[in-house]
Amino acid sequence: MSDDPTPRQIKWINRQRVLVFAARGINHRHRHLMEDLKKLMPHHKRRKMRDLYLWMSNVPNGPCAKFLVENVYTMGELKMTGNCLRGSRPLLSFDPQFTKDAHYCLLKELFIQIFGVPKNHPKSQPFFDHVYTFMILDNRIWFRNYQILSEDGALAEIGPRFVLNPVKIFSGSFGGATLWENPKYISPAKLRQAFSKKAGNKYERRIEKKVMNEATRPETGYPDIEGADFFKGDPLEKAQDVVKEEENNSDTDDDTSENEVPIVAKPKHKFSMMLTKKKPEKVIRRKQLKAKSKAISDQIKKRKQFKKKTMK
């Protein structure tokens, strides 16, 4: 019946989502309309604004490549001294490694087709005055833009700067079979997850540190002083008593020298003799604390293993 409450489904069966994104160059009214549409559709999905991915494709047959863009610096941020005429054709300079590996050869041809301005294009100028350089370092492609100052090869950087971290190469246009995949690529989401997991273990590390400090800490701060009576009373009177004892000891030394009695070296304070004595009770106490710390660390390791099993 319609009046009966609908049974709640525990398992999420229909996992279809709607991707909401905007084209470049939208104004504030269009952006606010997009936010309103997102509020109307609770099953929408939007990419995080932290990462930038770049797709380069040859339409309609392919191939295409997906890159993660890193270390982005725009022309406005750099404020370089170089300046070139807008619409002029660029020279393309590639690293020698582009000719050694098959996937770099494919990317080189893709860059030539995309960044190379066709000759006699109506919106271009009929001369060259800047150079695009593509360098390979640390399994990434580094892009730089330089102005040609003179015919002898003098250059001045213009910008922008960015680094392309290749992710995958596909056979089709924005899809198809995977021709190549970067084995050393780690997604930014996994890196952030690892950092958050490392920060989440601060409590366990703090507990382990406390246990280790307790295990290695001595029972008293002054091992040669027994009891707390030493710190009671007026410190000035204690100092005077110490001075008197030293004077009495010096007088006794003088008397022995007059009677020509051989002098035997004696410690000035009675507490210094305690340093040479062994204290088996402290050794036993430290062993107990170390055993306790080991038991606590074993419990923490078991909890971590249990969490990993439950997560799997």
Side-chain angles (χ1 to χ4, degrees):
M1 299 296 291
S2 60
D3 296 336
D4 297 336
T6 57
R8 184 178 179 181
Q9 292 183 356
I10 300 176
K11 188 177 180 181
W12 182 22
I13 300 175
N14 187 2
R15 296 179 177 272
Q16 183 179 0
R17 306 175 196 175
V18 177
L19 179 62
V20 180
F21 63 95
R24 61 177 184 175
I26 62 173
N27 56 22
H28 65 284
R29 296 182 71 251
H30 299 165
R31 188 169 61 253
H32 286 291
L33 176 61
M34 183 180 65
E35 295 293 335
D36 293 339
L37 291 175
K38 286 171 54 183
K39 295 177 182 178
L40 295 177
M41 296 181 294
H43 63 294
H44 79 277
K45 180 177 177 62
R46 188 177 183 183
R47 284 286 185 180
K48 295 181 179 179
M49 311 306 287
R50 301 179 182 179
D51 310 321
L52 174 62
Y53 290 93
L54 173 65
W55 286 80
M56 293 186 182
S57 175
N58 189 348
V59 179
N61 298 323
C64 68
K66 180 183 178 182
F67 303 91
L68 174 65
V69 186
E70 302 173 340
N71 300 333
V72 178
Y73 295 95
T74 61
M75 292 183 179
E77 293 174 345
L78 294 174
K79 297 181 180 179
M80 296 292 186
T81 57
N83 186 17
C84 66
L85 184 64
R86 184 174 183 179
S88 59
R89 299 177 65 194
L91 295 174
L92 302 183
S93 175
F94 291 93
D95 192 276
Q97 194 174 351
F98 275 97
T99 59
K100 297 180 181 180
D101 299 329
H103 61 282
Y104 282 134
C105 291
L106 181 59
L107 292 177
K108 178 181 178 181
E109 183 63 28
L110 197 61
F111 290 152
I112 291 173
Q113 295 181 11
I114 292 174
F115 289 97
V117 179
K119 188 177 180 180
N120 300 325
H121 191 275
K123 293 185 179 181
S124 65
Q125 300 294 333
F127 54 84
F128 301 91
D129 66 346
H130 60 288
V131 183
Y132 294 161
T133 61
F134 299 88
M135 298 171 289
I136 298 175
L137 180 64
D138 194 18
N139 298 317
R140 291 170 173 80
I141 301 172
W142 301 64
F143 175 84
R144 295 291 185 269
N145 182 18
Y146 297 97
Q147 178 192 0
I148 302 175
L149 297 179
S150 58
E151 296 181 358
D152 58 354
L155 302 175
E157 188 176 357
I158 304 173
R161 292 179 179 178
F162 57 87
V163 180
L164 298 177
N165 188 0
V167 181
K168 287 184 180 181
I169 300 176
F170 301 95
S171 60
S173 179
F174 298 99
T178 302
L179 300 179
W180 177 81
E181 184 176 358
N182 189 359
K184 298 182 180 180
Y185 171 75
I186 301 175
S187 64
K190 289 185 178 180
L191 291 176
R192 287 191 292 267
Q193 184 180 4
F195 286 138
S196 62
K197 186 177 181 180
K198 184 178 179 181
N201 295 333
K202 286 183 178 180
Y203 175 74
E204 295 178 355
R205 291 197 300 270
R206 188 165 64 248
I207 294 299
E208 291 178 357
K209 189 175 181 180
K210 285 183 178 179
V211 171
M212 291 302 297
N213 290 336
E214 185 180 356
T216 57
R217 185 180 59 187
E219 294 183 358
T220 58
Y222 300 91
D224 56 342
I225 298 174
E226 295 182 354
D229 298 334
F230 180 82
F231 299 98
K232 294 182 179 180
D234 190 2
L236 296 177
E237 295 180 357
K238 291 287 184 72
Q240 291 177 1
D241 296 338
V242 171
V243 172
K244 290 180 180 179
E245 289 179 2
E246 290 180 353
E247 291 177 354
N248 295 331
N249 293 331
S250 62
D251 294 339
T252 55
D253 294 339
D254 294 339
D255 295 338
T256 55
S257 61
E258 290 177 357
N259 297 328
E260 297 181 353
V261 178
I263 300 174
V264 180
K266 295 182 179 180
K268 294 183 179 180
H269 301 285
K270 61 181 180 180
F271 305 113
S272 60
M273 294 295 293
M274 300 299 295
L275 295 175
T276 58
K277 293 182 178 180
K278 296 182 180 179
K279 296 183 178 180
E281 296 179 356
K282 291 186 177 181
V283 176
I284 295 171
R285 178 60 178 168
R286 287 182 180 178
K287 290 182 179 179
Q288 291 176 354
L289 290 173
K290 287 182 180 180
K292 185 179 178 182
S293 65
K294 186 178 180 182
I296 294 174
S297 61
D298 293 338
Q299 289 180 0
I300 293 173
K301 290 180 181 179
K302 289 181 180 179
R303 289 178 184 175
K304 289 182 179 179
Q305 293 176 359
F306 180 73
K307 287 181 181 178
K308 289 181 181 179
K309 290 182 181 179
T310 54
M311 291 296 290
K312 291 179 181 179

